Each structure stands twice: as C-alpha cells, then as structure tokens.
Amino acid sequence: MAMAAAPALKHWRTTLERVEKFVSPLYFTDCNLRGRLFGDSCPVAALSSFLTPERLPYQEAVQQDFRPAQVGDSFGPTWWTCWFRVELTIPEAWVGQEVHLRWESDGEGLVWRDGEPVQGLTKEGEKTSYVLTDRLGEGDPRSMTLYVEVACNGLLGAGKGTMIAAPDPEKMFQVSRAELAVFHQDVHKLLVDLELLLGMAKAQQLEWVKSHYPGLHAQLQEFTCRGQFVPVGGTWVEMDGNLPSGEAMVRQFLQGQNFFLQEFGKMCSEFWLPDTFGYSAQLPQIMRSCGIRHFLTQKLSWNLVNSFPHHTFFWEGLDGSRVLAHFPPGDSYGMQGSVEEVLKTVTKNQDKGRTNHSAFLFGFGDGGGGPTQTMVDRLKRLRNTDGLPRVQLSSPGQLFSALESDSGQLCTWVGELFLELHNGTYTTHAQIKKGNRECERILHDVELLSSLALARSAHFLYPAAQLQDLWRLLLLNQFHDVVTGSCIQLVAEEAVCHYEDIRSHGNTLLSAAAAALGAGEPGPKGLLIVNTLPWKRTEVLALPRPGGAHSLALVTVPSMGYAPAPAPTSLQPLLPQQPVFVVQETDGSVTLDNGIIRVRLDPTGCLTSLVLVASGREAIAEGTVGNQFVLFDDVPLYWDAWDVMDYHLETRKPVLGQAGTLAVGTEGGVRGSAWFLLQISANSRLSQEVVLDVGCPYVRFHTEVHWHEAHKFLKVEFPARVRSPQATYEVQFGHLQRPTHYNTSWDWARFEVWAHRWMDLSEHGFGLALLNDSKYGASVRGSVLSLSLLRAPKAPDATADMGRHEFTYALMPHEGSFQDAGVIRAAYSVNFPLLVLPTPGPAPAAAWSAFSVSSPAVVLETVKQAETSPQGRTLVLRLYEAHGSHVDCWLHTSLPVQEAVLCDLLERRDPAGHLPLRDARLKLTFSPFQVRSLLLVLQPPPN
C-alpha cells in the first residue's frame, strides 16, 4: 500500500550549503548539477600546431607548417603565439542536440571560424567552450576545421608570481582539454536559476539569521557591542532607488532602522546601497529624517556615457537636505587586497586634494561571501609599506568621521544621481510594476481607513501586526532585482504571489475598517463611498445594484472621508456641468466633448485633436496624431532585462491601425467612450477604450494588450503643440525637470528616464500632462511625450512580460502651470479610485471628512497608527509640499485630538515641535518639497 512520505524538516544552513555544493564547479562535480552541464563527449579528430614569436594575421598563419599535437603538450614561452588547427567530426548520434568545442588552455585564446574571429577562450575569464551548433540538423555538415590562436600571456599580463612583478620570460603554457561535447541547455538554465535563488535567499538577511540561526544571531549581537560586526544599510532590503513611492522609501528606513535598534542596540548612521540602479533626489531628505547623514554606493561607476566627476562630495536633495556621499574610487565592493587595487583606489580618486581618505571595500561583496584570510593578511601587510598608500582596517563610522573632518573643500552635487545604464528596468515585467503600484495604494488606503475606524469606534483594533507583515512583503519585492524586473522566472512568480497576498489581505482589512465606520442602526446592508485622498472629489462611479448589475452615478465625496451611496432612483440627477456628448462621423471618426475638453479620434483610434474648450487651444502638434503606438527593436549589448540602449530609437516603427475598428461605447451623459482594436504584430494585439467623464479635465485610455514578442519595446507617443527645453516628471514627494534636447552627453544619456504617476510638458500659459496608473519608463524628446509600456527581454527570464496586460494612462491639457491646473491631484485620482465598500447595516446618512488641508500645494500623503502608540491611540500624519513653493497652510481635522507634535520619519518626537490646536486646526509651514510628519494623540473614546 502506497503511503505519503512525512514532510522533511529543512535545516536552513544545510539546505543553503547543499544548494551551493549542487552548483559548485569544485566539489562533487561527479554527481552535482554543474557536472551534468555537458553530456557525451569525444576527442577532436586531429590537433596540430605551430609556434611563432610574432603576431601573424590569420591568412598568413594558416599557411604555416602545422605539426601534430595532443592534449597535455606544452608551448611557449611568454609573449609567443601558438596557433592550433582543430579538425572536428561530430558524431551522427548527436543530431538534434547542442554541441560545443570544449577548450581549456593557459593563455588568451581566440577561435577563428571560416576566416573570422568568433569568440575568446580563457580559463581566467571562465570562457572554456565555443558553441558549434545550438541544434545539430540532419543536413548540417559533420566535419569542420577551426583555428585557435593562443597568446602566451594571461589576461593581466605575465607577471612572475604577482600581477605587478616583472614578466616571467621562461613561462610555459599547456593545453589541458580539446574535445567535442553535448551541452545541456536545460541544466545551464537550472544552474542560473539556482545561483540567483541562492543569492536571493541570502535580500533581508538579519531577519532570516535571527529566525534560522538564533545562536549565530546572538554572536552577531555580541560582536556588534565589541565593534567587530557593523550593521550598515539602514533599510529593510537593498531597495531600488527609483521606483518605490516616497512612502515606501520611508518604510524601508522605518522597518530597517527599528530592526537594527531592536536587535543590535543602535541604528545605522550610513545608508549603504552599493548596487542599485540610480538614486532619487528625495533620498537625502528621507535619510536625514531617519537619522542618517552618510551615503555610500559604487554603482554610478557603471555609467555608460559620462564618468561621474566625484568620489567624495555633498549630495543635495530636492528640498535642499544634504548628506556626505562617498563612492569608493576602486569602483568595486569586491576587491581582494592586491597592490594594483590599492593603487587604483588612490590614482582614480577624483577628489584628491580635497580629501585624503577613501574606502577600500574588500571581500566577495556581490552575493555576500565576505573576505578571505588571505585578503585580510594582504591588507595587514599594506598598513605601512614604503611607496604605497597607507591602509588601515577600519569601520564606516571611522571613514565618514575622517571625511567629515576634512570636508571644507568638498564639492556639492544637486539633484538626482541618475545611472546611465539599466534604463530598461523602469519597464521590464509590467505585472510586477503594476503589483507594486497597486499594493502601495492598498496599504495607504488600509492604514487610513483603519486609523479613521480607530478614532470613531471604541471597539476597533488597528491591524498593526498584519499591516507590518504586508508592508514587509511589499518592501521585500522592492529589492533592486525584483521590482526592476531583472529577476528569474521563479522570483517573478513569487513576487506576483506576494502582491496577490497583499491585495487579498488588504481588501479584507478594508472591509473590516469600513464595517467599523459604518456600524450604526440595525437594518439592511448599505454602501459607503470612501475617498482616501485629502481633497473633495466629484467623479463618475460604477455602483453595484441588485441582481449583479452596475449603474453609473456622479458622486461627491469629501476629503479623506465618506459619503452614502446615492439611491438608485437618483442616479441621473440634473448635472451641474455640461454632459458628455459623443458623435460618430460618417468617416468613422468619433468626437467626445464634456465642455472642458474635446477629444477627436480618427477611424483607427489615433488622437487627431485635443482641445481645451474654454480657450479653443489645441494640444496636439499640427500634422501629427497622438495615442500613436510605436514598436522598437530592443536588443541591448548584454544586460537583457536591465538595459535599453540609445540605438533602439533608430528602429522606431509606428503601429498602423485599420480604419473601421473604432466604435462608440458609452453613448454620453455622465460618461462617453469609444473603443477600438489594434493588431500590433502577427502575435500581439491591443484593445482600448477611450473614456471621458462629465466634469473631468482629462481623457483616459483603458488598455488591454496580449503581448507575445521577442526583443521588442512598445511605447505610446503624444506630439504636443508645446515648446519647452525641459519636461517635468513626478518623483517621490515631488517632481523635477529633465532636458527635452540632446545638447550634451549628460542630456542624451537620459534618452529613457523614470517617473511615477505623471509627466508634463509646459510652455508659458499652457501645457500637456500624461498620467498613468502603473508605468514608470518615460521620455520627452522635443515636443513628443512618450510613455514606455512593454518590453520583451529573454534573460534572465525568457517569459518576461509575455501574456495579457491591463493598464490605464490619461491625457490632460491645461492652461497655466501644471501646479495651478491640478495635474498632481488628477494623477492621484487616476491611481486612487473612490472605494465602494459594504456596511453591516444602513450606511451613515451624512457625509463625513476626517482631514483636509487649506493649500493645494500640500498633500496629506499618509495617515497611520504610530509604531509606538500608548493605548493604540496615537496617529502619524505625513504631509509634503508638492508644488515647489514656500507655503503656510492649515490642517483641519474632525478627530478628537488631545495633542499634536512634530516628529521625524522614524516617529521620534521633536522636543520643540508642539503644535497648538485652534478650532480643530493646526498651522503648518513648508519649504519646497519638504516632508513633515506629526503625531496626533487622540482623546480616549467615550465609554
């Protein structure tokens, strides 16, 4: 009788080490996965060679007198060249399989095939095989002759004993392998997956160390007290520096710093982020308000175009906050302690003369192997060696203290630290990007509603533990190789599951909070319409009706509050504004007009006109069309999921629609719409509904794409009748400008940039904004606004982005500045829809608002329970100045506030931050893009 096996208990350390040995090139290769990379093998048919002290051209070399050779033969000496003629015969039985030439020799090798150089072969560079065919066909030739040119020197010269020693003129070289072998591509892919998963198993290490190795964790705590183990980082994971929202970045520090304090007795004073793909201009402010004054990375050394001009400097953020930044001049966090590396650290330092100190990061840093004893011994010997820089084993705190004491002459860099590489990560894996944006919104809404329920109900328990778990899941996915989409398929699938968990649990928590808010008189269930944004909104909403139907209603909901759903009989009241008119012309074109904007679509769905009705101002450039989908070839130099190269712009191909596919959807009144189909290619298609609501200043484009491409990039373009040398892009807690021209290398290196919910191109008195609900890649060149939609890389995940996608973008023409026109609020509305939530009894009869702010320049971003909350009745509010202005404003609240005091982002009270409450209002003062947090202590609930 078959019986199910009992589940095995997995020991964390043995499991990790088992995986390490399973992929090891050194251990157990007779039975591990690495040893199965190659299958059947056979020797080459014939091997012959000739030696020459000269570097001969190919045509001359192949005419020389080749003599028989065999594996194990020596050749040399140093600086000579040995040419090998390799004659191959592939066995008939290998038809249908991938076949490699396996070649291992000392020296630098180069394969020649059909008179052309095709690949290098070096053991030092870990290139020891050449692909003869990725699939041997029935009719393919079985015999061929290759030549391998081997230079008698190593990758870094031919030093005797060390790299910087004089060359060894008598050194001899050897051929140790020359054979044909079947290559198992499936094994290779599994190896890559396991290696990356192994690395991931190491993203929130200290929490896992605590969970799985409590003994080691206790030792780390002891070593920390002695100064032998230095916790650095400050955040929950080594997060991406571009895509997370401002609030998510705050939570990275809040969770990380609190963990360090709880487990090691102190917080980090350095933000240690070596391997992230760019750094937001709001990071300095966030760092300073989380107790961090120092920043270290080395990633900008990867810039493809411009060399960053400093290694030690002050970095000034969007609001003027400054931190001391250091980029180790060795441009690495994996150095081994060689003399050459130490010399490079000194000679490459671009701030010599301004400072005399720099970091030398040694050990296996990428993946976390740490230093070897040999590395430590080398560096000890370099402490005081004549003719070399003085090296001392130190700590980040000591380094930054030394830099700070000698900082009077340092330069200042203002604004973002933009990485001129990996621009594809703003778009790759659109489902992950969408999950990130949606889950940031859900957690925002849950925290707000739970806070309001806490204030209104004596019996509601704020779900602090559940919210911490959900936030930590979201923060884990903001690791710099997950939210960026540069992960393997297994990680991507796990990330999507995490987002589903956050959605599911988040919606449950929303319902619980709504039930507490709506608890009142007994009776039939009602509907509550909730506005989680800090301003009053009047919008069209689809309300559920008996029998499963939905009907459209124009509803008004106060700021951060709720309103009862209108009764079915009052769904079509007299509209306060002009209704939406929808007209389809005889040529198939459709016009949508709500009295604010007029939209005209041609018969294929392209936007031929977008007019501000009051002024008659046209937003689309003359002779062009908007909503133009364009396809690009997208083949980067190497980093497939990471990179999109500047040359992809040379391959622009408009996707042409077919006349007659445009049809009217909703016929007008509170909403008008038209929809169309578009065949992108033989394998991919798109459908879109273009929607205009009553009273709405923007037109929305609800888009569904079935995407099945390889190395293609889909964007949508809007040529604007606007001229400006710079465009504005939303970032965390604010916005910044980037050039629309390619004047300098610093300008054109930003051919693809990142933004959050909106970008805007404005001239004096008029502009055009492009909003989105889940996209991050963008560009404005000249007068064309472009939103990046989908990519199709094949590594490290061959399935990335394949399948069905849904997203929405919106277009908003405006008079005046984007600030005064309400672009920022419109983008929030696109991303934070009104919520329709059931109540256990009849919904409250009257509308209610918890918070409002007197100035449109100030956004109340977050309302949550304080991390440390006596009796659970202390809230944290986070606000920021969004226009780029100095402003005074009043925060109004209807909650029973007992005390209000300013705090930092870690929720520590400002001793001088007491705020007087007058007529349920607090006065707050902001400078441009300033983020302010405050604690509200609520009065005890009535018995």
Side-chain angles (χ1 to χ4, degrees):
M1 182 173 76
M3 295 182 65
L9 291 173
K10 297 285 188 184
H11 183 261
W12 189 247
R13 179 175 175 183
T14 57
T15 301
L16 275 182
E17 291 200 10
R18 184 182 178 199
V19 177
E20 288 171 347
K21 297 300 186 291
F22 193 51
V23 300
S24 172
L26 299 176
Y27 303 103
F28 305 108
T29 52
D30 60 327
C31 59
N32 74 357
L33 187 64
R34 180 86 55 183
R36 298 173 187 172
L37 199 54
F38 290 93
D40 293 342
S41 64
C42 70
V44 299
L47 187 66
S48 53
S49 67
F50 94 95
L51 268 166
T52 173
E54 302 170 357
R55 295 289 162 97
L56 300 178
Y58 172 84
Q59 295 297 347
E60 187 176 339
V62 298
Q63 302 299 323
Q64 304 302 312
D65 182 20
F66 283 73
R67 298 189 175 183
Q70 58 186 9
V71 172
D73 282 357
S74 292
F75 57 94
T78 302
W79 308 132
W80 283 48
T81 299
C82 190
W83 284 82
F84 291 89
R85 179 186 288 142
V86 187
E87 297 172 57
L88 313 172
T89 303
I90 304 175
E92 192 66 31
W94 293 2
V95 169
Q97 306 205 64
E98 183 169 335
V99 182
H100 288 206
L101 167 66
R102 299 188 72 186
W103 178 277
E104 293 180 22
S105 68
D106 302 320
E108 288 189 282
L110 178 64
V111 183
W112 292 82
R113 184 173 185 173
D114 299 328
E116 296 294 332
V118 289
Q119 184 189 299
L121 288 173
T122 60
K123 283 197 293 187
E124 289 173 271
E126 299 183 352
K127 289 187 173 67
T128 55
S129 75
Y130 167 65
V131 181
L132 296 168
T133 173
D134 57 7
R135 182 180 172 83
L136 183 65
E138 290 283 356
D140 290 350
R142 301 291 186 270
S143 298
M144 66 184 76
T145 299
L146 304 177
Y147 290 86
V148 180
E149 177 188 9
V150 182
C152 296
N153 54 262
L155 283 176
L156 299 170
K160 187 173 185 177
T162 71
M163 287 185 295
I164 61 172
D168 179 0
E170 304 303 323
K171 182 177 175 67
M172 297 299 289
F173 298 74
Q174 188 180 58
V175 179
S176 54
R177 187 193 297 272
E179 66 183 19
L180 302 183
V182 172
F183 181 78
H184 293 149
Q185 188 67 238
D186 53 346
V187 173
H188 169 71
K189 290 178 178 177
L190 184 55
L191 270 172
V192 174
D193 287 354
L194 284 171
E195 286 171 342
L196 282 168
L197 282 172
L198 182 61
M200 286 295 297
K202 292 173 179 176
Q204 49 181 41
Q205 295 104 318
L206 291 173
E207 171 65 26
W208 288 331
V209 167
K210 180 183 177 183
S211 301
H212 299 289
Y213 306 118
L216 174 60
H217 183 70
Q219 283 185 296
L220 291 180
Q221 290 175 314
E222 186 179 331
F223 289 145
T224 301
C225 293
R226 293 188 206 154
Q228 291 176 276
F229 179 78
V230 184
V232 293
T235 51
W236 187 244
V237 296
E238 193 181 342
M239 68 194 191
D240 179 65
N242 300 325
L243 308 186
S245 68
E247 187 60 31
M249 282 189 167
V250 171
R251 301 308 176 91
Q252 286 282 359
F253 284 96
L254 183 65
Q255 292 290 330
Q257 290 285 59
N258 282 347
F259 184 88
F260 286 125
L261 180 63
Q262 176 185 327
E263 301 301 324
F264 298 104
K266 58 182 178 182
M267 294 184 179
C268 299
S269 58
E270 308 87 16
F271 184 31
W272 197 272
L273 199 64
D275 195 27
T276 286
F277 313 148
Y279 304 90
S280 164
Q282 274 291 28
L283 275 170
Q285 179 177 195
I286 294 171
M287 290 160 59
R288 288 300 298 256
S289 194
C290 291
I292 291 177
R293 305 193 324 273
H294 307 138
F295 171 60
L296 182 143
T297 187
Q298 58 84 46
K299 196 65 176 184
L300 261 69
S301 67
W302 286 46
N303 269 7
L304 197 63
V305 181
N306 300 285
S307 293
F308 193 77
H310 302 294
H311 284 105
T312 304
F313 59 99
F314 285 108
W315 179 22
E316 185 175 302
L318 205 56
D319 73 315
S321 297
R322 297 207 313 171
V323 294
L324 179 58
H326 182 65
F327 297 176
D331 294 340
S332 172
Y333 55 100
M335 293 189 282
Q336 301 190 15
S338 71
V339 172
E340 182 187 50
E341 290 170 334
V342 173
L343 289 172
K344 176 186 176 184
T345 294
V346 174
T347 56
K348 284 200 65 181
N349 190 340
Q350 303 204 62
D351 295 282
K352 285 195 300 288
R354 301 188 189 99
T355 182
N356 293 316
H357 306 276
S358 62
F360 182 95
L361 303 183
F362 66 99
F364 291 100
D366 199 358
T372 64
Q373 186 62 48
T374 301
M375 295 176 194
V376 175
D377 291 343
R378 286 175 187 155
L379 293 169
K380 284 180 178 177
R381 284 164 172 76
L382 292 171
R383 278 179 176 167
N384 195 6
T385 303
D386 287 348
L388 290 175
R390 293 190 176 184
V391 176
Q392 67 181 81
L393 295 174
S394 185
S395 69
Q398 289 172 299
L399 167 72
F400 279 104
S401 291
L403 292 173
E404 219 157 33
S405 67
D406 191 25
S407 62
Q409 301 300 313
L410 292 180
C411 299
T412 297
W413 182 271
V414 178
E416 66 180 331
L417 294 171
F418 185 86
L419 179 65
E420 297 171 357
L421 196 71
H422 294 355
N423 319 58
T425 59
Y426 317 147
T427 305
T428 304
H429 259 304
Q431 295 288 30
I432 291 179
K433 306 291 192 287
K434 183 176 183 180
N436 180 71
R437 184 81 64 85
E438 284 187 354
C439 290
E440 287 175 340
R441 187 263 304 167
I442 287 169
L443 293 179
H444 166 278
D445 289 356
V446 170
E447 287 182 331
L448 172 65
L449 260 68
S450 298
S451 298
L452 302 190
L454 179 71
R456 295 289 299 273
S457 169
H459 306 292
F460 182 79
L461 290 177
Y462 189 93
Q466 298 99 306
L467 276 166
Q468 183 181 72
D469 289 344
L470 296 180
W471 264 113
R472 287 183 171 181
L473 269 186
L474 180 61
L475 300 181
L476 176 63
N477 276 2
Q478 289 177 346
F479 180 74
H480 68 265
D481 270 322
V482 179
V483 73
T484 54
S486 50
C487 52
I488 61 173
Q489 183 179 353
L490 290 175
V491 173
E493 289 170 350
E494 188 174 78
V496 169
C497 288
H498 287 163
Y499 293 134
E500 282 303 317
D501 285 347
I502 296 170
R503 287 186 186 103
S504 172
H505 292 295
N507 285 328
T508 300
L509 294 176
L510 279 175
S511 296
L517 282 172
E521 299 299 319
K525 293 182 180 180
L527 286 178
L528 208 57
I529 303 176
V530 179
N531 172 18
T532 61
L533 296 180
W535 46 79
K536 185 172 76 170
R537 296 161 70 183
T538 299
E539 295 178 14
V540 176
L541 196 59
L543 293 175
R545 294 303 177 194
H550 284 74
S551 48
L552 296 177
L554 184 67
V555 298
T556 297
V557 192
S559 164
M560 280 194 170
Y562 58 71
T569 54
S570 62
L571 285 183
Q572 293 292 347
L574 291 173
L575 294 175
Q577 303 101 330
Q578 175 190 309
V580 183
F581 293 108
V582 182
V583 178
Q584 184 156 31
E585 308 293 344
T586 54
D587 66 356
S589 63
V590 171
T591 300
L592 309 172
D593 188 335
N594 67 356
I596 300 171
I597 58 175
R598 183 167 61 247
V599 179
R600 185 177 175 87
L601 302 167
D602 75 9
T604 70
C606 286
L607 182 65
T608 56
S609 176
L610 178 62
V611 172
L612 267 177
V613 174
S615 64
R617 176 68 154 83
E618 175 63 64
I620 301 299
E622 188 176 357
T624 68
V625 294
N627 203 35
Q628 175 66 68
F629 292 96
V630 285
L631 209 55
F632 299 85
D633 293 338
D634 185 16
V635 185
L637 295 175
Y638 179 74
W639 300 98
D640 200 357
W642 290 261
D643 284 351
V644 57
M645 310 310 297
D646 55 343
Y647 54 77
H648 87 285
L649 296 170
E650 301 167 9
T651 66
R652 177 182 178 276
K653 180 184 176 184
V655 181
L656 301 178
Q658 189 172 358
T661 64
L662 185 68
V664 172
T666 306
E667 294 183 348
V670 294
R671 172 172 292 171
S673 71
W675 66 276
F676 64 92
L677 302 173
L678 181 64
Q679 196 70 34
I680 299 169
S681 71
N683 300 315
S684 301
R685 68 184 189 276
L686 174 153
S687 64
Q688 190 172 74
E689 185 181 21
V690 184
V691 179
L692 184 63
D693 283 348
V694 63
C696 188
Y698 52 85
V699 57
R700 286 173 293 155
F701 300 81
H702 297 306
T703 314
E704 179 183 346
V705 183
H706 292 265
W707 181 246
H708 300 281
E709 299 295 326
H711 296 296
K712 298 292 182 184
F713 199 149
L714 181 68
K715 304 183 184 184
V716 64
E717 295 178 348
F718 293 91
R721 189 167 170 256
V722 176
R723 181 168 174 79
S724 175
Q726 59 187 19
T728 306
Y729 302 83
E730 188 193 35
V731 299
Q732 297 85 356
F733 297 131
H735 56 263
L736 49 73
Q737 285 76 41
R738 299 185 181 112
T740 61
H741 54 74
Y742 288 179
N743 278 3
T744 71
S745 59
W746 293 90
D747 298 329
W748 69 256
R750 301 183 186 200
F751 59 87
E752 177 80 3
V753 298
W754 61 272
H756 282 197
R757 291 168 292 216
W758 58 268
M759 56 177 157
D760 181 85
L761 184 67
S762 289
E763 60 187 35
H764 177 68
F766 183 82
L768 184 63
L770 182 53
L771 326 173
N772 76 85
D773 74 345
S774 59
K775 300 299 173 187
Y776 295 90
S779 64
V780 181
R781 186 179 180 190
S783 296
V784 179
L785 293 87
S786 177
L787 185 65
S788 299
L789 303 177
L790 293 168
R791 294 188 70 219
K794 298 303 172 188
D797 179 3
T799 68
D801 281 316
M802 297 300 98
R804 180 177 172 273
H805 299 269
E806 277 190 74
F807 48 85
T808 294
Y809 52 88
L811 201 59
M812 180 175 172
H814 61 84
E815 290 189 321
S817 69
F818 66 85
Q819 293 99 326
D820 294 338
V823 165
I824 297 169
R825 288 187 169 186
Y828 267 96
S829 294
V830 169
N831 281 268
F832 289 81
L834 295 172
L835 304 178
V836 181
L837 298 170
T839 57
W848 177 76
S849 169
F851 297 102
S852 60
V853 184
S854 64
S855 169
V858 175
V859 176
L860 173 51
E861 176 73 13
T862 299
V863 179
K864 64 181 283 288
Q865 187 187 58
E867 298 293 299
T868 303
S869 177
Q871 288 81 49
R873 294 190 63 77
T874 302
L875 301 182
V876 170
L877 274 61
R878 188 143 25 253
L879 307 93
Y880 73 96
E881 196 288 320
H883 286 183
S885 60
H886 286 86
V887 64
D888 294 338
C889 74
W890 291 95
L891 171 69
H892 181 275
T893 180
S894 57
L895 301 189
V897 175
Q898 181 173 300
E899 181 192 12
V901 62
L902 292 171
C903 64
D904 66 8
L905 294 180
L906 298 182
E907 305 179 7
R908 299 176 296 191
R909 285 174 169 245
D910 178 351
H914 177 76
L915 297 171
L917 187 70
R918 297 193 186 97
D919 300 324
R921 296 189 307 165
L922 300 166
K923 187 177 183 181
L924 296 168
T925 299
F926 290 84
S927 56
F929 305 118
Q930 185 179 13
V931 180
R932 307 208 76 169
S933 301
L934 54 139
L935 296 166
L936 289 188
V937 181
L938 302 179
Q939 295 173 7
N943 293 328

